[in-house]
């Protein structure tokens, strides 16, 4: 497959790029600063900027992004960038998007959990240090859910850098599936995201995953 990856220089994104290349995929890593990615491979192309005619020839887009929790920028670059990604995907006819984010992007179906989440967000939204994180999370979630692409949001709580186990528990936003915990290896997160690139089982769904 031909894959476009956003966030390839991050701790999860690096696993994504390395595993995709090891599996024989062609990868375009789109970044603000290409110098941050030291990985080199004959099937890897590192590009600066947004999806363009050259970079958008892909079967799927994978994004491993997260907001800055404290003191984030007021212009919400990830929110605007997500909107740009979705618009470009529509322009170039790319359907599949797998987007990894922290736990706050998911809207719980359980009314009690939903109320707790709303109250927590309301509190964090009042604090200057975390206001931009809350605003960005809300806008990213709205942009993805409101799109007509075959998106899957992969929600994680506490990713870590220990070796992957090859085992991933999955729970859907409707409450079906495994009972999940909080911790997951970034290697396992990346591998799960890669398996979703050509699998529409969880299209237009939000998932929580853990080891």
């Amino acid at each position: 497959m031909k894959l476009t990856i956003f966030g390839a220089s991050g701790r999860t994104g690096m696993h994504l790029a390395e595993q995709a290349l090891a599996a024989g995929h062609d990868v375009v890593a789109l970044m603000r600063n290409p110098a941050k990615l030291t990985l080199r491979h004959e099937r890897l192309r590192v590009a600066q900027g947004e999806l363009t005619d050259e970079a958008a020839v892909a079967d799927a887009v994978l994004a491993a992004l997260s907001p800055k929790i404290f003191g984030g920028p007021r212009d919400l670059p990830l929110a605007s960038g997500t909107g740009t990604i979705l618009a470009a995907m529509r322009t170039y006819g790319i359907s599949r998007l797998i987007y990894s984010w922290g736990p706050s992007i998911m809207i719980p179906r359980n009314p009690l959990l939903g109320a707790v989440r709303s109250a927590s967000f309301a509190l964090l939204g009042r604090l200057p240090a975390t206001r931009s994180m809350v605003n960005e999370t809300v806008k990213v979630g709205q942009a993805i859910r409101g799109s007509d692409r075959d998106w899957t949001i992969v929600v994680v709580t506490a990713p870590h850098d220990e070796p992957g186990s090859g085992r991933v528990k999955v729970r859907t936003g409707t409450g079906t599936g495994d009972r999940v915990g909080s911790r997951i290896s970034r290697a396992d997160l990346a591998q799960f995201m890669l398996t979703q690139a050509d699998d529409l089982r969880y299209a237009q769904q939000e998932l929580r995953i853990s080891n």
Side-chain angles (χ1 to χ4, degrees):
M1 297 180 68
K2 295 180 179 179
L3 304 175
T4 295
I5 297 177
F6 288 87
S9 64
R11 293 162 75 181
T12 298
M14 182 69 76
H15 283 287
L16 267 178
E18 290 176 344
Q19 291 184 23
L21 292 166
H25 301 302
D26 294 316
V27 174
V28 175
L30 284 177
M31 310 174 60
R32 290 184 182 179
N33 182 4
K36 287 186 175 181
L37 185 63
T38 58
L39 180 64
R40 296 292 181 267
H41 195 282
E42 61 182 6
R43 281 183 280 99
L44 170 67
R45 190 170 70 79
V46 183
Q48 185 173 20
E50 309 293 345
L51 277 172
T52 62
D53 288 317
E54 186 179 1
V57 182
D59 298 302
V61 172
L62 296 92
L65 304 171
S66 61
K68 186 175 181 181
I69 296 177
F70 299 105
R74 295 182 179 181
D75 59 347
L76 310 182
L78 295 184
S80 59
T82 299
T84 300
I85 290 170
L86 290 164
M89 288 179 66
R90 190 176 301 109
T91 297
Y92 296 111
I94 306 172
S95 296
R96 194 71 175 111
L97 171 67
I98 300 94
Y99 203 113
S100 172
W101 195 266
S104 55
I105 199 172
M106 177 177 274
I107 298 179
R109 299 302 179 100
N110 181 289
L112 178 58
L113 292 178
V116 171
R117 176 190 182 277
S118 297
S120 299
F121 253 43
L123 175 61
L124 292 173
R126 292 173 181 269
L127 302 175
T130 53
R131 186 175 299 146
S132 64
M133 181 272 291
V134 171
N135 291 339
E136 192 146 54
T137 295
V138 170
K139 290 183 179 298
V140 166
Q142 289 174 341
I144 296 174
R145 296 185 194 99
S147 76
D148 61 354
R149 303 294 87 188
D150 290 325
W151 54 266
T152 299
I153 296 173
V154 182
V155 175
V156 295
T157 303
H160 58 78
D161 293 318
E162 295 171 14
S165 66
R167 300 185 303 274
V168 174
K169 297 177 181 178
V170 182
R171 190 167 188 84
T172 69
T174 59
T176 61
D178 304 316
R179 183 175 180 178
V180 300
S182 59
R183 287 171 52 81
I184 187 167
S185 163
R186 287 187 171 85
D188 287 328
L189 166 59
Q191 182 58 44
F192 180 81
M193 292 178 67
L194 281 176
T195 63
Q196 301 310 304
D198 60 354
D199 186 346
L200 296 180
R201 179 185 353 174
Y202 298 122
Q204 296 194 336
Q205 293 191 59
E206 301 171 50
L207 311 173
R208 287 183 59 211
I209 69 172
S210 72
N211 286 131

